[in-house]
Amino acid sequence: MRKGTIIWVLCLLLSGSQVLGQAKVRVSGRVFDMSKVTPLGYVSILSNSGAGTLTDTLGRYAILLAETDSLWFSYLGKPTPKYAVKNIPNVFAFEIALHVNVTELKQVMVKPRDYIQDSIQNRLDYAKVFNWNKPGIGISTSPGGGVGLDIGQLVDMFKFRRNKRMQGFQDRLLREEEEKYIDHRFSRPLVVRLTGLRGVELDSFIVRYRPNVYFVQFTTDYELQAYIKDCYREYKQGLPPNPARRPEDPIYP
């Protein structure tokens, strides 16, 4: 074998070993609101590799990532830009302030109600929004039997800003209802019972394998538990989520 060929092979082997043995970096820190004083709990921390976790009630988090990975933060459906791990100046104290003012958030009273009661009450409280339909051209009938255009519907069609606001409010309520239903089926106590995970590992598992609403709507309790157990086996083996088995469709094989 020629000298040039030997050098090329050695370089290839060296680069391959570096890729396979990529160093892992533990990134940790805290997340605050825009005042940089109040910590934010339950903020999602996600990464390009699929790893993820949540902040605790004191805004603290920790996540293990490759040096080539990037992470970002998401709160109330609003993600931040991505941060490359290699560009983080201090991975042991990577703190960030999100554009959220906690003092403006309404106080929430926690009641000992179950999921069904909460859903019914939410539908009653926001019945006007849930029952709202986008205005269209309607037909009205006069007492004498005459038929004509519904003027009220016609006028409402041109209330563009109001219609857009109502549509957005309705969409948000529906999304929140779906997320609560997922939490009800794919619950933390159920995941703990089937996996035994706790703390940061539990948070990371829930973020990583959280199913969509179609999956939890169309699966039985047995199928849901089988899904959690399969995901836990993947998690313990250090494998990335299997796209072929992610619950993107209503029916999980």
Side-chain angles (χ1 to χ4, degrees):
M1 185 180 292
R2 291 182 298 177
K3 182 178 180 180
T5 304
I6 294 175
I7 294 175
W8 179 82
V9 172
L10 290 175
C11 291
L12 183 63
L13 291 174
L14 180 60
S15 62
S17 63
Q18 290 176 339
V19 171
L20 293 174
Q22 278 186 353
K24 292 287 186 177
V25 178
R26 186 177 185 271
V27 183
S28 60
R30 297 182 73 185
V31 180
F32 298 89
D33 73 342
M34 61 191 302
S35 70
K36 300 182 181 180
V37 175
T38 306
L40 289 176
Y42 307 106
V43 177
S44 299
I45 297 94
L46 307 167
S47 69
N48 289 343
S49 63
T53 186
L54 295 170
T55 58
D56 61 15
T57 54
L58 298 178
R60 301 174 300 190
Y61 73 92
I63 186 170
L64 196 63
L65 301 172
E67 292 179 337
T68 55
D69 209 345
S70 296
L71 75 160
W72 67 94
F73 302 82
S74 180
Y75 187 67
L76 298 178
K78 298 179 179 179
T80 67
K82 293 184 179 181
Y83 301 92
V85 173
K86 62 182 179 182
N87 293 335
I88 296 176
N90 185 358
V91 295
F92 301 107
F94 183 42
E95 298 186 346
I96 186 171
L98 303 183
H99 192 67
V100 176
N101 190 349
V102 174
T103 59
E104 293 180 356
L105 298 179
K106 294 182 179 180
Q107 183 178 6
V108 178
M109 182 178 293
V110 179
K111 302 177 182 179
R113 300 169 62 92
D114 61 24
Y115 165 77
I116 297 177
Q117 288 176 320
D118 286 336
S119 298
I120 294 174
Q121 188 62 51
N122 196 53
R123 286 274 177 168
L124 292 175
D125 292 341
Y126 296 99
K128 183 177 178 180
V129 180
F130 278 110
N131 298 330
W132 178 82
N133 292 310
K134 187 175 181 180
I137 298 177
I139 303 298
S140 63
T141 304
S142 66
V147 178
L149 291 176
D150 188 327
I151 302 300
Q153 286 275 353
L154 189 61
V155 171
D156 287 342
M157 283 181 60
F158 293 94
K159 295 180 180 179
F160 300 115
R161 296 180 64 180
R162 174 184 176 275
N163 293 337
K164 184 177 181 180
R165 185 171 63 252
M166 287 293 290
Q167 184 69 65
F169 193 13
Q170 187 184 73
D171 291 343
R172 191 181 76 182
L173 288 176
L174 290 172
R175 285 196 300 270
E176 289 177 353
E177 190 174 71
E178 290 176 352
E179 292 301 317
K180 289 179 181 178
Y181 183 65
I182 296 173
D183 292 338
H184 170 65
R185 294 287 316 276
F186 188 71
S187 65
R188 295 175 71 88
L190 177 62
V191 175
V192 170
R193 179 166 63 83
L194 296 177
T195 66
L197 295 173
R198 294 288 193 283
V200 175
E201 276 196 315
L202 174 63
D203 295 337
S204 177
F205 181 89
I206 289 177
V207 171
R208 189 173 184 178
Y209 296 102
R210 182 179 177 85
N212 60 33
V213 67
Y214 301 106
F215 175 74
V216 296
Q217 280 179 332
F218 291 97
T219 51
T220 64
D221 290 342
Y222 175 81
E223 290 169 330
L224 178 61
Q225 292 181 28
Y227 166 72
I228 294 173
K229 292 177 181 178
D230 288 345
C231 291
Y232 179 62
R233 282 192 288 269
E234 286 182 7
Y235 181 81
K236 294 301 289 183
Q237 294 172 9
L239 300 174
N242 184 356
R245 200 187 42 69
R246 290 285 289 173
E248 299 299 332
D249 298 319
I251 303 301
Y252 170 65

